[in-house]
Amino acid sequence: MMEQKDRERLERSIGDAFKKGGLITVMTGAGVSAESGIPTFRGPEGYWTVGSVNYQPSEIATNDMLNRNPREVWKWFLFRRGVCADALPNPGHVAIAEMEKLLKYRFRLITQNVDGLHLRAGSTLEATYQVHGNLNFMRCFGKCSSDLYPVPETIPKIARGEDLPESEWERLKCPKCGSMARPHVLLWDEYYDEKYYRFESSLRDAAKTSLLVIVGTTGSTNLPNRVAASVMHFGGMIVDIDIEENVFSKAALQTPGGLFLKGKSAEILPDVFDAIEERISDSP
């Protein structure tokens, strides 16, 4: 629960945002999923060993490695997928999904998380921009089409360093042409685009956003920074929720009515939903 003074400030900010019209946009990062027990994979848990060499995520999750050793890239992502599959949406995910139901066409969710927990909590694909992709999908590595295919649900979870049986590798192929598929995730040496990662849509809607709620991200990638900058440029308000100060919390305080709410998103986001619901209920 937020302190009363923070709740009152949030209610005023939400009221001001509603007066402006425009979109209410939530932008989430790894901090939201960390509260469901999913590691960020940026620390020691992110290393991946191939032979005697340890690779960081920025080295294993690349097009270069995908070309040289596609099975190791797949194993890294399948390991992560198994970790994510064991996690459950937390109250923060649920609160965001409830915001969409309440706000309908006025709501957008921009997420950097690839675990699919937002969708499992009830957020819809129509209102959710998965700007880094989704571990549960794959597409043709040979680019015979731009179609996305679900990773077969029966592909087994693998432990760190574990391999797949050959029969399972055969199922990680493009259903259309039979060539190797690849995980539908933005790799470290790839660029955002509209077709797969909703780049233009994110920036377009940022320009229409009157309130941007940023949750659990520190601004280490390009698109979230551009979204925040666009909201600021067009006079929108930013509320940043995080367990510690970051570049977005400082930006939030530079916007009219902007706030930095320090704490866990699973505890604060339900309060944000309540404040929005009260504002709508009080509207004539």
Side-chain angles (χ1 to χ4, degrees), residues 34-52:
E35 293 184 36
S36 288
I38 296 176
T40 64
F41 294 103
R42 290 181 180 271
E45 69 274 11
Y47 284 93
W48 192 254
T49 302
V50 181
S52 60

Side-chain angles (χ1 to χ4, degrees), residues 10-24 106 209-212 236-237 256 279:
L10 177 64
E11 289 174 351
R12 286 196 297 271
S13 296
I14 289 173
D16 291 342
F18 269 86
K19 290 175 186 176
K20 290 183 178 180
L23 297 174
I24 308 296
R106 288 194 62 185
T209 293
S210 57
L211 172 62
L212 174 65
M237 178 191 309
R279 176 64 180 78

Side-chain angles (χ1 to χ4, degrees), residues 30 138 225 245 264:
M138 62 185 188
N225 283 286
E245 292 185 10
K264 295 182 177 180

Side-chain angles (χ1 to χ4, degrees), residues 53-67:
V53 180
N54 286 330
Y55 292 92
Q56 297 183 36
S58 57
E59 299 169 312
I60 192 72
T62 65
N63 264 304
D64 178 62
M65 184 64 79
L66 192 61
N67 280 298

Side-chain angles (χ1 to χ4, degrees), residues 145-157:
S145 79
S146 59
D147 293 342
L148 301 182
Y149 307 101
V151 175
E153 290 186 8
T154 52
I155 292 287
K157 299 174 187 176

